[in-house]
Amino acid sequence: MDELGFEGIPLPQPAVAPAASPAPGPGAPEAVAARAVAPETVPALTARLAGRLQRTHAGVLAAHQAVIAWQLARAAGGPTALFPTPAPPRPGDAVATILHAAARAFRAEGAGPYQGGAALTWLDEAPELPGGAPRVERDGEEWRIGDGERPFAVLAPHGPRHSRPEPPPPRFPPDPRPLARTTVTRLTAADLDALAAGDIARVLGAAFDQSDLPAAVLPAPWPTRLLDTVTFADPRGGRNGQGLLLATTRLPGHAEEAWPHCLAAALELLRVHAFHQGLHLCLPGARATLPVRRPVLVDVRDTPAPPPGTELRLEAEVTATGMLPRPYATADCRVTVADRPLARLRDVGVVLKEGPGQDALDPARPGLRTGVTGKRVVAGELHTAIFAEGDLGTVPLPGSTTRVTGRVRPRLPRGDFRMLDRVVDGHGEWDAYRPGSWGLAEYDVPADPWYVRENGGTMPQLALMETALQAAGLFSGMLGVAGAYPDGHLSCRNLDGRARLLRHVDTPGTTVEQHVTLRSHSPLPGGVMHRYDFRLRAGGEPFYEGEAVHGFFTPELLAEQQGLDGGTYRPPWLERHPPAPADVRRLDPRRDPRPGRGRLALLEDVTLVPGGGDHGTGYVLCDKPVRRDDWFFHHHFFQDPVMPGSAGVQMLYQAVHAYALHTGLLDHLVHPRLHIAVGEELHWSYRGQILREHRRVRGEAHIRAVRREDHRVLLFADGSVWRDDLRIYQVDNIAADIRGEAA
């Protein structure tokens, strides 16, 4: 990709002073005389005839499509009118109109290109201008585009001295999290027209159906279409691993410059992407707007504009998709003509917002989203995103008038570590905490979740625990804990739990139902403690269940945690029973991805003692430093970073896996993979936390029993986790089911 040849966008040179008086309007005598005497050039005549031919061809094609639609409708027993009532006309593309008018104004000034390009910054939403073109005025090196009363966009030079370094790609690209799933990967012009008219479910599938909602909350009509085709080439494609989009468009006959059309088409492509992801489904009257105060960098090849009707190809690499403060998508886009670079656009973005007079967070408004059973949800994806990392003051909780001012609050994890999407239903009363109160949430498991990819293709205990426990923590907040100690900090920590896998389920690409029931409420001096039962279901059938205790602590109460041994140092077994050197095996599993890779590469220095441990069956000790940039601190929790206990439990499962891999227990298996044993109940207790300022984490596992079969090996172990010199986790009955093909 040649991106070094872009030289600039046609703009006035800074050295040219603005005119002292306004340019003559289109009705001025000089302009009329110029039109009367200027002969029509051959290229202009050719362009006009080509435009006429295109319009004629489009009319014939539309008539042909109408006949086909009439025939299909008649065959299906539907309306038989050959020419149905036309849909209301869609608005023109305000962005394209404004930018084309600005380009004409620049050309009228005799402007030359800025070397390096330009930065376009929207100060407000692009308005409809029924009176005609916007007003374009020079202000030093900048050009302000407005309606005569206020500017709504600024165009400024962007050369080497304004260079903005391209950020590095993310180390761990986030998983795509569409609000609705579709198998459609290519859209034609007819599909795009149907989307623009609001017929989204017919194009993208039943998951996008909103036919039972009032018309006032359906998406706003889209502007006139600019794109001819859209292809969703790769949901993990592009430099940032966030998606690769392809599209085609044709340069209109009125385009004096190509760059306005390129930019407007790129914005349309991002709007299509946002709706393809279902981001509009959580907003009443969803409409696409432009992010304000965020410069878009526009670089255009310094060549004559292609003739009207020329096909342009767009290749957009999505750089981010998110929910806050409202759903958005950003991308970098490359535009080519006949495989030659024409334009490059950086930081193009769209934001979806509610329609005028609508409020997506209004608790009195019926929910827009539905769960897997078709029931309207209590809180949708926008709400849960706010619970994770937004302004909690914007989410009215049922029965609460409390305004929270404390910075640290009970939160859902964020990013890829948030494993809850919607709150579907519940029974409880604010600040009552009655045993038997229950809540139901849902989690749309990605089709290829990171924790399965990085765990050798199987579901890790970490993901099951988080999917169950996050629902319990959120339900406590909705029952009233979110308003407790409103002027102070309040942290959520899991204390104890037990869990059992009932059956193996292939959850990727499905929706998991998360059911929690409050069993007890215990007020504390400086906190609250809740005990829950939890159950996960897939396809309506349970597959994981257990019990957990959550504590909600002020900093003073949290500081009183002294570990599992009353604050004294209890060394690992290896320090208390130093074996002979010949019995010890040391390894560095960072080069062995089988126990876990990427974010789940939780093992570093590992010591194995076959025949060691409390039961004389085997022992493993792992040791790793705490790094301030460890991935989990950014995700768990916002403004309250802590290593999740589930990561410590997963580290012990990996330690057992490493022991089996490197002591010959799996030599009779080909491609062994770690599974969780069905029917075995895991127990855990946490009495401390691991923060960025701590130095190291150690975990040990004592093998209790080993059972070898033809196609698998079962290992049972108990373990502990240390933070520096304090033992803080106890984990019992780690049951690893390692399966493979017989060698």
Side-chain angles (χ1 to χ4, degrees), residues 314-331:
L314 286 73
E315 179 181 296
E317 295 183 337
V318 180
T319 53
T321 304
M323 297 296 296
L324 297 179
R326 286 297 185 268
Y328 68 90
T330 60

Side-chain angles (χ1 to χ4, degrees), residues 635-713:
H635 292 81
H636 186 271
F637 298 100
F638 179 53
Q639 298 178 329
D640 185 21
V642 61
M643 175 178 167
S646 59
V649 173
Q650 186 66 29
M651 180 176 68
L652 295 181
Y653 270 88
Q654 292 184 355
V656 172
H657 193 191
Y659 180 89
L661 285 168
H662 295 279
T663 55
L665 292 177
L666 307 180
D667 287 352
H668 66 298
L669 299 179
V670 178
H671 304 305
R673 298 198 301 174
L674 174 66
H675 298 262
I676 301 166
V678 171
E680 295 291 335
E681 191 166 83
L682 176 75
H683 294 256
W684 67 87
S685 293
Y686 305 149
R687 293 298 182 270
Q689 56 184 344
I690 300 168
L691 306 177
R692 279 192 170 107
E693 58 263 29
H694 294 126
R695 301 186 308 276
R696 66 173 179 168
V697 179
R698 289 182 292 172
E700 71 173 7
H702 302 264
I703 310 298
R704 284 192 289 106
V706 177
R707 188 189 310 161
R708 297 183 57 161
E709 300 178 4
D710 288 343
H711 298 283
R712 69 174 184 170
V713 174

Side-chain angles (χ1 to χ4, degrees), residues 212-213 366-381 422-427 438-442 511 513 537:
D212 59 336
L213 293 176
L368 298 176
R369 301 287 283 136
T370 57
V372 291
T373 62
K375 182 180 178 62
R376 294 287 170 197
V377 306
V378 175
E381 289 85 350
R422 298 172 295 278
V423 180
V424 178
D425 201 357
H427 177 73
W438 59 269
L440 176 64
E442 290 179 350
T511 296
E513 297 177 89
R537 295 193 300 244

